[in-house]
Amino acid sequence: MVTRGGGSMRMDRAGAAGPLIRGLGPSGFRVDENVYTALTLTPTRADAWTPPPLAELSERDLAGLLEGTPEFVLLGTGANLARPPRALVAALEARGIGVEAMDSRAAARAWGVLRAEDRQVVAALYPIDA
């Protein structure tokens, strides 16, 4: 269920294990009782993240997400969709890991859907206001 009010959005997905984005708004992403401006997500944890400028994003910046070889990285690129660096995409594809880029609001919604399907994905979400 997705509800809106006061410039923020609350999202509820039943059946997904691990951290879920329960809401998002101008202050960031709400995961359980924590709010993150930018974050990384795995099926078992959510961590605050200080991302580099998107044009400089590298495999090294995502190293903590890539343990266990996820199906793909869900990359939320901020307020608008932007292409990730080609070198990053090539490096991950060489490891058999895809990259799905979208704006961070869409990525937050997709995270809940994919986790409800028990997909083995990870996410890196840039700030919504970036």
Side-chain angles (χ1 to χ4, degrees), residues 24-96:
L24 57 103
S27 61
F29 306 93
R30 187 167 58 83
V31 179
D32 299 322
E33 300 306 317
N34 300 308
V35 176
Y36 302 90
T37 302
L39 78 153
T40 59
L41 294 155
T42 71
T44 60
R45 71 179 194 275
D47 296 307
W49 186 41
T50 303
L54 182 62
E56 299 171 18
L57 184 63
S58 71
E59 185 178 10
R60 180 184 70 249
D61 298 308
L62 302 176
L65 295 177
L66 305 177
E67 301 162 5
T69 313
E71 293 176 51
F72 60 89
V73 175
L74 183 61
L75 181 62
T77 60
N80 298 298
L81 170 62
R83 290 184 185 264
R86 287 183 184 175
L88 171 66
V89 174
L92 293 179
E93 286 179 350
R95 294 175 62 167

